[in-house]
Amino acid sequence: MAVYSDFPSNLSTQRLRLRRWRPSDAKHQRALWAERDVRARRRIDADGRPTVEEMRESLVANPLSADPGLGLLPIELRATGEFIGYCGLIVGQASYDEPEIAYELARRTHGNGYATEAGRAVVEAAARTGRQRLWATVRAWNTASLRVLEKLGFDRTGRVDPDPERGDSLWLTRELDPPAV
C-alpha cells in the first residue's frame, strides 16, 4: 500500500469552513438523516435509531467519521457558523488508495453552490495527500448530486450497480492532479 499524507481535519473556502466533528454536531447530523430520501440506505429506522445520543457517542469515538487518514468534515457557513452538512473522503464502496468523496447538505441550503464549493476543497486536499484518483457513487435519481460531481470534474465510468428497490448506483471517477511543488 502506498503512503499518503493524512486528509486534513480543517479546510476553508470563501464561504465555508470544514472542520472536525464535535459532540454537539450530533443533533445536526441526525437532522440530515431525517431528511434523507426514503430510498437511502442509511436512515432513521422505525424505532427512531440512531438517536442523537448514539450519534454523539459515534462522533466522540471517531471524530473524523471515517477510516484513519481520511475524513468526513462538517460544513459550516463562515459568516454565521451555521452547520449545513458534511463533505469528505471515505473508503465507502471504493478503497483507501482511491477513496470515495461523500457529501450531504441540509435541504434548506440546496441550490447555493455549497456542495460544489466544499467538494472542490476536498478534491484539492485529496490531491495534496498524494492520491491519484477519487471515486463517487450516486443514485441515478439524484440529479442534483450528479451535477455537483460533474462540476467537480468526475466522469461517469459506465459501471452501474442495479438496485430496483433504492435506485441504480452510478460510479464516477476523477483523476487528481499531482500536488504543486
Side-chain angles (χ1 to χ4, degrees), residues 65-132:
S65 295
D67 292 290
L70 302 176
L72 282 179
L73 305 175
I75 305 167
E76 61 185 23
L77 298 176
R78 286 180 66 163
T80 64
E82 177 188 2
F83 177 101
I84 63 168
Y86 64 81
C87 187
L89 299 177
I90 60 173
V91 169
Q93 297 182 65
S95 71
Y96 180 77
D97 291 332
E98 296 182 356
E100 186 172 347
I101 190 170
Y103 51 88
E104 182 174 16
L105 276 77
R107 287 183 184 168
R108 70 183 184 283
T109 67
H110 290 187
N112 291 296
Y114 296 140
T116 303
E117 188 172 332
R120 277 196 186 106
V122 166
V123 167
E124 290 167 6
R128 290 192 300 271
T129 70
R131 289 184 169 79
Q132 297 178 346

Side-chain angles (χ1 to χ4, degrees), residues 10 17 68 70 79 82 98 121-122 152 155 157 159 163 165 178:
N10 290 289
R17 183 178 306 112
L70 302 176
E82 177 188 2
E98 296 182 356
V122 166
L152 295 175
D155 297 310
T157 65
R159 178 177 172 185
D163 185 336
E165 182 182 338

